[in-house]
Amino acid sequence: MAVLEHALLPVRAGSEAAFEAALATARPLIEASPGFISLEIRRPTGTGQPYLLLAEWRSVADHQDGFRRSDRYQQWRALLHPFYDPMPAVSYFGDLV
């Protein structure tokens, strides 16, 4: 059973282009993580709205214990976290059946 990670990314107004460039650099870091399945990030359709992040993992542990405790996450954080205000909350969803 795969797990879907959901986060709304509140990117500071005016820094969207820089965020998207940083995201392109950061994407291979998460994609190289054990247990990673897929990543989808959607651009907001209105001004001041957050980006939508959906990442699929084999398990919550693959994200929390694998990626988030890795050197790759430290690089991800350095690239992307300066754009957030406030820091996004992460939720996980499993299959219904």
XYZ file of all heavy atoms in Angstrom:
768
model
N 0.838 -1.179 0.000
C 0.000 0.000 0.000
C 0.885 1.246 0.000
O 1.736 1.427 0.858
C -0.896 -0.016 1.239
C -1.651 1.272 1.449
S -2.832 1.192 2.794
C -1.880 1.907 4.103
N 0.698 2.108 -0.960
C 1.449 3.356 -1.042
C 0.814 4.415 -0.150
O -0.358 4.324 0.204
C 1.495 3.837 -2.481
N 1.591 5.421 0.189
C 1.146 6.534 1.015
C 1.317 7.810 0.212
O 2.336 8.011 -0.451
C 1.984 6.603 2.312
C 1.669 7.853 3.098
C 1.750 5.370 3.157
N 0.310 8.670 0.283
C 0.363 9.950 -0.406
C 0.651 11.049 0.613
O -0.079 11.205 1.588
C -0.961 10.217 -1.119
C -1.020 11.434 -2.025
C -0.043 11.285 -3.188
C -2.435 11.627 -2.543
N 1.726 11.775 0.384
C 2.078 12.943 1.205
C 1.437 14.159 0.558
O 1.531 14.361 -0.650
C 3.599 13.105 1.232
C 4.075 14.378 1.859
C 5.528 14.682 1.532
O 6.198 13.911 0.835
O 5.990 15.752 1.995
N 0.799 14.989 1.373
C 0.121 16.190 0.895
C 0.654 17.378 1.676
O 0.761 17.338 2.896
C -1.386 16.036 1.151
C -2.170 17.301 1.000
N -2.269 18.245 2.005
C -2.890 17.776 -0.024
C -3.035 19.243 1.589
N -3.417 18.989 0.368
N 1.003 18.453 0.954
C 1.411 19.697 1.614
C 1.008 20.869 0.733
O 1.102 20.797 -0.494
C 2.915 19.720 1.863
N 0.540 21.925 1.368
C 0.295 23.183 0.683
C 1.496 24.072 0.956
O 1.835 24.325 2.119
C -0.997 23.835 1.188
C -2.265 23.060 0.875
C -3.473 23.719 1.536
C -2.474 22.947 -0.630
N 2.167 24.516 -0.097
C 3.412 25.262 0.027
C 3.159 26.759 -0.136
O 2.987 27.243 -1.257
C 4.411 24.780 -1.035
C 4.636 23.263 -1.121
C 5.580 22.937 -2.256
C 5.137 22.715 0.199
N 3.141 27.505 0.963
C 2.878 28.943 0.909
C 4.136 29.720 0.509
O 4.908 30.164 1.358
C 2.426 29.278 2.330
C 3.136 28.270 3.177
C 3.276 27.030 2.338
N 4.341 29.863 -0.780
C 5.527 30.544 -1.306
C 5.321 32.058 -1.200
O 4.255 32.573 -1.539
C 5.775 30.107 -2.768
C 6.902 30.907 -3.400
C 6.081 28.606 -2.818
N 6.338 32.750 -0.716
C 6.265 34.214 -0.557
C 5.947 34.877 -1.900
O 6.552 34.554 -2.916
C 7.576 34.757 -0.026
C 7.788 34.472 1.434
C 9.049 35.192 1.946
N 9.192 34.969 3.354
C 9.868 33.952 3.891
N 10.458 33.076 3.127
N 9.938 33.820 5.195
N 5.035 35.821 -1.882
C 4.657 36.553 -3.088
C 5.879 37.215 -3.715
O 6.719 37.769 -3.008
C 3.605 37.610 -2.749
N 5.974 37.107 -5.020
C 7.077 37.696 -5.755
C 8.277 36.789 -5.927
O 9.199 37.115 -6.669
N 8.277 35.645 -5.241
C 9.426 34.737 -5.348
C 9.065 33.437 -6.071
O 9.819 32.478 -6.014
C 10.005 34.444 -3.963
O 9.048 33.780 -3.153
N 7.938 33.437 -6.757
C 7.473 32.217 -7.419
C 8.471 31.695 -8.464
O 8.747 30.489 -8.511
C 6.099 32.442 -8.068
C 4.987 32.715 -7.076
C 4.850 34.184 -6.683
O 5.657 35.028 -7.124
O 3.910 34.490 -5.910
N 8.998 32.563 -9.293
C 9.942 32.119 -10.335
C 11.207 31.539 -9.714
O 11.709 30.500 -10.156
C 10.273 33.266 -11.279
N 11.729 32.183 -8.685
C 12.919 31.677 -8.008
C 12.618 30.351 -7.314
O 13.456 29.442 -7.317
C 13.440 32.705 -7.005
N 11.423 30.230 -6.707
C 11.021 28.971 -6.082
C 10.978 27.848 -7.118
O 11.494 26.757 -6.887
C 9.654 29.118 -5.411
C 9.063 27.806 -4.981
C 9.568 27.120 -3.885
C 8.002 27.240 -5.683
C 9.031 25.903 -3.495
C 7.462 26.034 -5.298
C 7.977 25.353 -4.201
N 10.373 28.105 -8.255
C 10.267 27.072 -9.287
C 11.639 26.658 -9.820
O 11.874 25.483 -10.091
C 9.344 27.540 -10.406
C 7.898 27.620 -9.930
C 6.921 28.111 -10.986
O 7.263 28.101 -12.193
O 5.797 28.511 -10.602
N 12.565 27.601 -9.926
C 13.932 27.270 -10.337
C 14.620 26.416 -9.275
O 15.292 25.427 -9.594
C 14.726 28.546 -10.599
N 14.452 26.775 -8.005
C 15.034 25.997 -6.909
C 14.419 24.606 -6.856
O 15.111 23.617 -6.584
C 14.839 26.725 -5.580
N 13.130 24.525 -7.119
C 12.447 23.238 -7.130
C 13.018 22.321 -8.209
O 13.206 21.126 -7.975
C 10.950 23.446 -7.345
C 10.094 22.197 -7.340
C 10.206 21.459 -6.013
C 8.655 22.560 -7.623
N 13.315 22.862 -9.372
C 13.912 22.054 -10.444
C 15.264 21.488 -10.009
O 15.605 20.345 -10.338
C 14.060 22.898 -11.710
N 16.013 22.257 -9.226
C 17.294 21.784 -8.696
C 17.080 20.746 -7.601
O 17.825 19.768 -7.497
C 18.101 22.974 -8.133
O 18.317 23.916 -9.189
C 19.424 22.535 -7.557
N 16.055 20.940 -6.773
C 15.803 20.064 -5.622
C 15.144 18.740 -6.002
O 15.316 17.737 -5.302
C 14.933 20.786 -4.606
N 14.397 18.729 -7.066
C 13.608 17.542 -7.436
C 14.427 16.237 -7.487
O 13.993 15.215 -6.941
C 12.898 17.797 -8.754
C 11.915 16.731 -9.107
C 11.165 17.053 -10.404
N 10.086 16.107 -10.532
C 8.810 16.399 -10.463
N 8.424 17.639 -10.309
N 7.899 15.457 -10.554
N 15.607 16.212 -8.101
C 16.385 14.962 -8.116
C 16.763 14.457 -6.727
O 16.993 13.258 -6.549
C 17.631 15.318 -8.925
C 17.240 16.498 -9.745
C 16.244 17.249 -8.912
N 16.819 15.345 -5.735
C 17.160 14.933 -4.374
C 16.094 14.017 -3.795
O 16.399 13.010 -3.159
C 17.339 16.161 -3.476
C 18.457 17.112 -3.858
C 18.341 18.413 -3.079
C 19.811 16.454 -3.639
N 14.835 14.374 -3.991
C 13.749 13.549 -3.468
C 13.561 12.301 -4.333
O 13.284 11.214 -3.828
C 12.438 14.360 -3.337
C 11.435 13.629 -2.453
C 11.845 14.710 -4.669
C 10.211 14.469 -2.088
N 13.751 12.456 -5.638
C 13.556 11.325 -6.547
C 14.559 10.208 -6.305
O 14.284 9.052 -6.610
C 13.632 11.804 -7.997
C 12.432 12.651 -8.392
C 12.550 13.263 -9.780
O 13.678 13.363 -10.317
O 11.497 13.654 -10.324
N 15.728 10.528 -5.742
C 16.760 9.532 -5.461
C 16.542 8.796 -4.139
O 17.328 7.928 -3.781
C 18.135 10.205 -5.459
N 15.484 9.127 -3.419
C 15.246 8.554 -2.098
C 14.631 7.169 -2.177
O 13.682 6.950 -2.937
C 14.308 9.462 -1.296
O 14.911 10.709 -1.100
N 15.138 6.233 -1.370
C 14.513 4.917 -1.297
C 13.052 5.051 -0.854
O 12.728 5.832 0.038
C 15.336 4.182 -0.229
C 16.663 4.881 -0.244
C 16.338 6.327 -0.543
N 12.174 4.316 -1.512
C 10.758 4.347 -1.178
C 9.983 5.418 -1.909
O 8.752 5.450 -1.848
N 10.665 6.322 -2.611
C 9.994 7.366 -3.381
C 9.335 6.742 -4.609
O 9.929 5.917 -5.287
C 11.011 8.427 -3.825
C 10.440 9.428 -4.793
C 9.742 10.526 -4.336
C 10.601 9.263 -6.159
C 9.210 11.452 -5.221
C 10.084 10.180 -7.054
C 9.382 11.268 -6.588
N 8.102 7.169 -4.891
C 7.381 6.677 -6.070
C 7.155 7.796 -7.082
O 7.487 7.652 -8.258
C 6.044 6.017 -5.669
C 6.307 4.810 -4.766
C 5.242 5.629 -6.908
C 5.063 4.209 -4.135
N 6.591 8.922 -6.632
C 6.303 10.000 -7.583
C 6.171 11.330 -6.851
O 5.958 11.375 -5.644
C 5.015 9.707 -8.356
O 3.894 9.746 -7.486
N 6.287 12.410 -7.633
C 6.136 13.760 -7.103
C 5.355 14.588 -8.107
O 5.664 14.587 -9.303
C 7.502 14.413 -6.869
C 7.492 15.868 -6.391
C 6.890 15.968 -4.998
C 8.898 16.440 -6.411
N 4.354 15.281 -7.608
C 3.571 16.195 -8.427
C 3.447 17.503 -7.658
O 3.079 17.506 -6.487
C 2.189 15.597 -8.678
C 1.320 16.400 -9.584
C -0.011 15.715 -9.866
O -0.166 14.510 -9.580
O -0.909 16.416 -10.352
N 3.794 18.595 -8.308
C 3.633 19.913 -7.691
C 2.835 20.761 -8.663
O 3.184 20.879 -9.834
C 4.987 20.561 -7.361
C 5.712 19.664 -6.352
C 4.770 21.966 -6.810
C 6.999 20.180 -5.843
N 1.750 21.314 -8.143
C 0.844 22.119 -8.964
C 0.992 23.584 -8.609
O 1.002 23.954 -7.442
C -0.608 21.692 -8.744
C -0.916 20.271 -9.175
C -1.014 20.211 -10.688
N -1.313 18.881 -11.152
C -2.494 18.501 -11.610
N -3.503 19.338 -11.636
N -2.652 17.273 -12.046
N 1.076 24.410 -9.634
C 1.148 25.868 -9.499
C -0.251 26.384 -9.166
O -1.233 25.928 -9.729
C 1.641 26.441 -10.826
C 1.763 27.937 -10.873
C 2.214 28.401 -12.256
N 3.587 28.011 -12.514
C 3.964 27.258 -13.554
N 3.091 26.824 -14.421
N 5.230 26.953 -13.721
N -0.359 27.371 -8.283
C -1.680 27.934 -7.968
C -2.241 28.699 -9.163
O -1.493 29.241 -9.977
C -1.406 28.872 -6.793
C 0.054 29.174 -6.861
C 0.713 28.002 -7.515
N -3.563 28.732 -9.243
C -4.206 29.459 -10.334
C -4.490 30.916 -9.970
O -4.797 31.706 -10.844
C -5.523 28.780 -10.746
O -6.380 28.718 -9.615
C -5.264 27.386 -11.291
N -4.383 31.251 -8.694
C -4.640 32.626 -8.249
C -3.467 33.179 -7.469
O -2.661 32.439 -6.908
N -3.368 34.474 -7.426
C -2.302 35.153 -6.689
C -2.453 34.921 -5.195
O -3.554 34.968 -4.663
C -2.356 36.668 -6.978
O -2.299 36.863 -8.385
C -1.202 37.391 -6.316
N -1.323 34.653 -4.544
C -1.324 34.493 -3.099
C -1.773 33.128 -2.611
O -1.876 32.918 -1.415
N -2.035 32.204 -3.517
C -2.445 30.859 -3.115
C -1.215 29.957 -3.048
O -0.222 30.191 -3.738
C -3.445 30.288 -4.114
C -4.760 31.023 -4.145
C -5.711 30.429 -5.182
O -5.308 29.719 -6.082
N -6.979 30.736 -5.037
N -1.279 28.910 -2.225
C -0.125 28.007 -2.104
C -0.016 27.037 -3.280
O -0.991 26.746 -3.959
C -0.414 27.252 -0.806
C -1.895 27.264 -0.692
C -2.353 28.564 -1.295
N 1.195 26.555 -3.487
C 1.435 25.445 -4.413
C 0.952 24.168 -3.727
O 0.934 24.083 -2.498
C 2.925 25.302 -4.707
C 3.490 26.353 -5.629
C 3.639 27.670 -5.210
C 3.910 26.025 -6.906
C 4.181 28.637 -6.048
C 4.453 26.981 -7.756
C 4.587 28.281 -7.318
O 5.122 29.232 -8.148
N 0.595 23.178 -4.515
C 0.168 21.882 -3.986
C 1.262 20.860 -4.260
O 1.685 20.698 -5.411
C -1.131 21.434 -4.667
C -1.588 20.003 -4.381
C -1.931 19.817 -2.903
C -2.774 19.648 -5.263
N 1.720 20.193 -3.211
C 2.689 19.109 -3.336
C 1.998 17.802 -3.023
O 1.341 17.672 -1.986
C 3.864 19.311 -2.367
C 4.919 18.204 -2.356
C 6.303 18.788 -2.161
C 4.641 17.148 -1.294
N 2.133 16.836 -3.924
C 1.665 15.473 -3.711
C 2.835 14.552 -4.025
O 3.328 14.533 -5.155
C 0.481 15.139 -4.627
C -0.780 15.966 -4.417
C -1.788 15.682 -5.529
C -1.387 15.691 -3.058
N 3.298 13.829 -3.025
C 4.394 12.887 -3.210
C 3.905 11.506 -2.791
O 3.245 11.369 -1.753
C 5.611 13.286 -2.394
N 4.225 10.526 -3.588
C 3.827 9.160 -3.261
C 5.058 8.391 -2.778
O 6.124 8.449 -3.398
C 3.219 8.480 -4.482
C 2.494 7.206 -4.148
C 1.708 6.659 -5.332
O 1.868 7.150 -6.453
O 0.940 5.709 -5.106
N 4.868 7.704 -1.661
C 5.930 6.930 -1.011
C 5.430 5.512 -0.761
O 4.231 5.293 -0.609
C 6.307 7.560 0.322
C 6.849 8.937 0.226
C 6.142 10.117 0.249
C 8.207 9.314 0.047
N 6.984 11.181 0.120
C 8.263 10.715 -0.013
C 9.396 8.588 -0.068
C 9.455 11.416 -0.176
C 10.587 9.292 -0.221
C 10.603 10.680 -0.276
N 6.346 4.570 -0.630
C 5.953 3.208 -0.249
C 5.400 3.202 1.167
O 4.502 2.423 1.489
C 7.137 2.258 -0.325
C 7.459 1.774 -1.712
C 8.528 0.718 -1.667
N 9.608 1.161 -0.787
C 10.860 0.780 -0.862
N 11.222 -0.099 -1.769
N 11.764 1.237 -0.039
N 5.936 4.072 2.041
C 5.476 4.133 3.431
C 5.775 5.511 4.009
O 6.617 6.249 3.481
C 6.178 3.064 4.278
O 7.549 3.381 4.433
N 5.114 5.835 5.116
C 5.403 7.078 5.831
C 6.859 7.063 6.314
O 7.557 8.073 6.248
C 4.428 7.275 7.014
C 4.839 8.466 7.874
C 2.999 7.449 6.518
N 7.320 5.908 6.757
C 8.698 5.792 7.240
C 9.706 6.111 6.141
O 10.755 6.703 6.422
C 8.947 4.395 7.795
N 9.406 5.744 4.893
C 10.324 6.078 3.801
C 10.495 7.587 3.686
O 11.585 8.079 3.389
C 9.823 5.512 2.469
C 10.081 4.027 2.333
O 11.087 3.531 2.879
O 9.266 3.352 1.672
N 9.431 8.343 3.937
C 9.537 9.801 3.886
C 10.159 10.355 5.166
O 11.151 11.078 5.125
C 8.160 10.447 3.664
C 8.221 11.935 3.653
N 7.581 12.701 4.605
C 8.877 12.799 2.847
C 7.840 13.989 4.358
N 8.610 14.068 3.299
N 9.573 9.996 6.321
C 10.006 10.598 7.589
C 11.384 10.122 8.035
O 12.213 10.931 8.452
C 8.991 10.301 8.685
C 7.702 11.047 8.499
C 6.724 10.795 9.637
O 6.857 9.846 10.403
N 5.730 11.641 9.743
N 11.619 8.828 8.001
C 12.877 8.280 8.503
C 13.948 8.189 7.416
O 15.137 8.318 7.708
C 12.658 6.893 9.111
C 11.670 6.920 10.261
O 11.589 7.954 10.957
O 10.962 5.918 10.454
N 13.508 7.974 6.181
C 14.457 7.856 5.083
C 14.871 9.214 4.539
O 15.989 9.674 4.761
N 13.954 9.879 3.857
C 14.287 11.151 3.214
C 14.574 12.260 4.215
O 15.596 12.943 4.124
C 13.156 11.562 2.268
C 13.392 12.873 1.577
C 14.531 13.073 0.813
C 12.484 13.907 1.700
C 14.753 14.294 0.181
C 12.703 15.125 1.065
C 13.842 15.317 0.306
N 13.713 12.445 5.193
C 13.864 13.589 6.109
C 15.081 13.490 7.024
O 15.497 14.493 7.592
C 12.605 13.768 6.947
C 11.511 14.451 6.141
C 10.602 15.160 7.043
N 9.791 16.133 6.321
C 8.850 16.830 6.883
N 8.607 16.679 8.170
N 8.145 17.685 6.198
N 15.652 12.343 7.161
C 16.857 12.204 7.993
C 18.117 12.054 7.140
O 19.179 11.732 7.665
C 16.710 11.005 8.922
C 15.620 11.228 9.940
C 15.498 10.102 10.897
N 14.370 10.349 11.778
C 14.229 9.810 12.958
N 15.135 8.970 13.412
N 13.174 10.077 13.691
N 17.990 12.339 5.854
C 19.116 12.161 4.934
C 19.811 13.485 4.634
O 19.261 14.566 4.864
C 18.624 11.550 3.617
O 17.858 12.500 2.885
N 21.006 13.385 4.085
C 21.715 14.571 3.617
C 20.973 15.214 2.451
O 21.018 16.432 2.290
C 23.135 14.209 3.178
C 24.018 13.820 4.352
O 23.705 14.212 5.497
O 25.021 13.126 4.123
N 20.276 14.410 1.654
C 19.494 14.950 0.530
C 18.415 15.910 1.053
O 18.159 16.946 0.443
C 18.843 13.823 -0.279
C 19.811 13.029 -1.120
C 19.106 11.945 -1.932
N 18.141 11.172 -1.160
C 18.453 10.196 -0.308
N 19.712 9.852 -0.128
N 17.512 9.560 0.359
N 17.798 15.574 2.179
C 16.767 16.450 2.738
C 17.373 17.770 3.210
O 16.752 18.826 3.070
C 16.008 15.779 3.880
C 14.957 16.691 4.464
C 13.790 16.977 3.758
C 15.135 17.300 5.703
C 12.825 17.834 4.274
C 14.179 18.149 6.226
C 13.029 18.415 5.504
O 12.086 19.261 6.006
N 18.567 17.725 3.767
C 19.218 18.961 4.211
C 19.439 19.902 3.020
O 19.251 21.113 3.129
C 20.539 18.662 4.921
C 20.375 17.840 6.194
C 19.336 18.411 7.151
O 19.316 19.610 7.408
N 18.464 17.571 7.675
N 19.797 19.340 1.879
C 19.956 20.136 0.658
C 18.601 20.642 0.167
O 18.477 21.803 -0.242
C 20.625 19.299 -0.429
C 22.049 18.884 -0.103
C 22.570 17.884 -1.110
O 22.587 18.162 -2.299
N 22.977 16.721 -0.637
N 17.582 19.774 0.191
C 16.211 20.140 -0.196
C 15.742 21.321 0.659
O 15.217 22.306 0.156
C 15.314 18.914 -0.010
C 13.845 19.106 -0.099
C 13.012 19.552 0.882
C 13.009 18.845 -1.233
N 11.716 19.572 0.439
C 11.677 19.133 -0.859
C 13.252 18.374 -2.519
C 10.600 18.979 -1.720
C 12.176 18.205 -3.381
C 10.861 18.520 -2.978
N 15.934 21.193 1.956
C 15.503 22.222 2.897
C 16.219 23.544 2.628
O 15.598 24.608 2.625
C 15.768 21.743 4.322
C 15.137 22.640 5.366
C 15.237 22.024 6.716
N 16.592 22.229 7.223
C 17.004 21.832 8.388
N 16.207 21.156 9.183
N 18.226 22.086 8.782
N 17.524 23.506 2.397
C 18.290 24.720 2.131
C 17.813 25.405 0.847
O 17.774 26.636 0.774
C 19.779 24.395 2.036
N 17.417 24.615 -0.145
C 16.962 25.174 -1.418
C 15.549 25.755 -1.337
O 15.274 26.804 -1.916
C 16.990 24.095 -2.506
C 18.363 23.714 -3.049
C 18.275 22.393 -3.809
C 18.888 24.823 -3.949
N 14.643 25.081 -0.621
C 13.223 25.413 -0.715
C 12.621 26.118 0.499
O 11.734 26.959 0.347
C 12.414 24.151 -1.023
C 12.782 23.458 -2.329
C 11.973 22.187 -2.505
C 12.612 24.384 -3.514
N 13.059 25.779 1.678
C 12.409 26.314 2.876
C 12.481 27.839 3.006
O 11.547 28.427 3.576
C 12.938 25.625 4.133
C 12.404 24.237 4.287
N 12.378 23.587 5.500
C 11.878 23.363 3.389
C 11.860 22.377 5.334
N 11.558 22.225 4.058
N 13.514 28.509 2.491
C 13.513 29.976 2.591
C 12.349 30.653 1.860
O 12.038 31.810 2.150
C 14.856 30.377 1.956
C 15.731 29.184 2.146
C 14.804 28.014 1.994
N 11.684 29.947 0.966
C 10.574 30.529 0.210
C 9.239 30.463 0.961
O 8.289 31.118 0.568
C 10.409 29.818 -1.139
C 11.556 30.043 -2.069
C 12.527 29.072 -2.245
C 11.668 31.238 -2.768
C 13.588 29.281 -3.110
C 12.729 31.460 -3.640
C 13.694 30.474 -3.804
N 9.139 29.652 2.019
C 7.862 29.406 2.678
C 7.583 30.408 3.800
O 8.456 30.709 4.607
C 7.819 27.999 3.285
C 8.083 26.890 2.303
C 8.779 25.758 2.687
C 7.642 26.959 0.988
C 9.016 24.724 1.802
C 7.881 25.938 0.097
C 8.572 24.814 0.513
O 8.815 23.800 -0.372
N 6.330 30.850 3.854
C 5.882 31.686 4.961
C 4.375 31.508 5.124
O 3.608 32.048 4.319
C 6.217 33.152 4.700
C 5.871 34.038 5.887
O 5.831 33.519 7.026
O 5.626 35.231 5.665
N 3.956 30.732 6.114
C 4.719 29.984 7.117
C 5.202 28.642 6.554
O 4.930 28.319 5.395
C 3.685 29.764 8.226
C 2.391 29.634 7.481
C 2.510 30.601 6.323
N 5.861 27.874 7.400
C 6.296 26.537 6.986
C 5.066 25.673 6.734
O 4.095 25.736 7.494
C 7.162 25.884 8.073
C 8.548 26.488 8.170
S 9.484 26.389 6.624
C 9.621 24.639 6.427
N 5.094 24.866 5.683
C 3.930 24.031 5.375
C 3.778 22.856 6.343
O 4.763 22.352 6.879
C 4.216 23.519 3.961
C 5.680 23.681 3.755
C 6.136 24.777 4.669
N 2.540 22.465 6.554
C 2.232 21.254 7.318
C 2.106 20.102 6.325
O 1.638 20.286 5.199
C 0.933 21.426 8.084
N 2.520 18.925 6.746
C 2.482 17.735 5.896
C 1.447 16.770 6.456
O 1.381 16.556 7.666
C 3.884 17.054 5.844
C 3.819 15.736 5.108
C 4.884 17.985 5.196
N 0.648 16.203 5.563
C -0.326 15.162 5.936
C -0.071 13.945 5.076
O 0.459 14.051 3.964
C -1.754 15.649 5.685
O -2.033 16.798 6.444
N -0.470 12.790 5.585
C -0.295 11.533 4.863
C -1.648 10.864 4.689
O -2.487 10.901 5.599
C 0.624 10.576 5.624
C 2.009 11.137 5.828
C 2.350 11.765 7.023
C 2.963 11.060 4.827
C 3.617 12.285 7.214
C 4.233 11.591 5.017
C 4.557 12.193 6.208
O 5.799 12.712 6.393
N -1.818 10.213 3.555
C -3.064 9.518 3.243
C -2.733 8.137 2.703
O -1.846 7.995 1.860
C -3.884 10.292 2.201
C -4.259 11.670 2.676
C -3.408 12.744 2.509
C -5.472 11.879 3.314
C -3.739 14.011 2.959
C -5.824 13.139 3.769
C -4.951 14.208 3.592
N -3.473 7.132 3.185
C -3.298 5.765 2.705
C -4.485 5.355 1.858
O -5.464 6.079 1.720
N -4.373 4.168 1.300
C -5.476 3.620 0.497
C -6.668 3.343 1.391
O -6.533 2.969 2.561
C -5.044 2.318 -0.184
C -3.963 2.574 -1.222
O -3.890 3.689 -1.769
O -3.174 1.639 -1.484
N -7.858 3.506 0.848
C -9.091 3.286 1.616
C -9.351 1.811 1.847
O -9.809 1.415 2.897
C -10.275 3.937 0.872
C -11.550 4.093 1.652
C -11.320 4.897 2.924
C -12.607 4.760 0.807
N -9.051 1.008 0.853
C -9.317 -0.428 0.979
C -8.037 -1.217 0.880
O -7.177 -0.888 0.146
C -10.292 -0.903 -0.128
C -10.611 -2.367 0.047
C -11.542 -0.081 -0.102
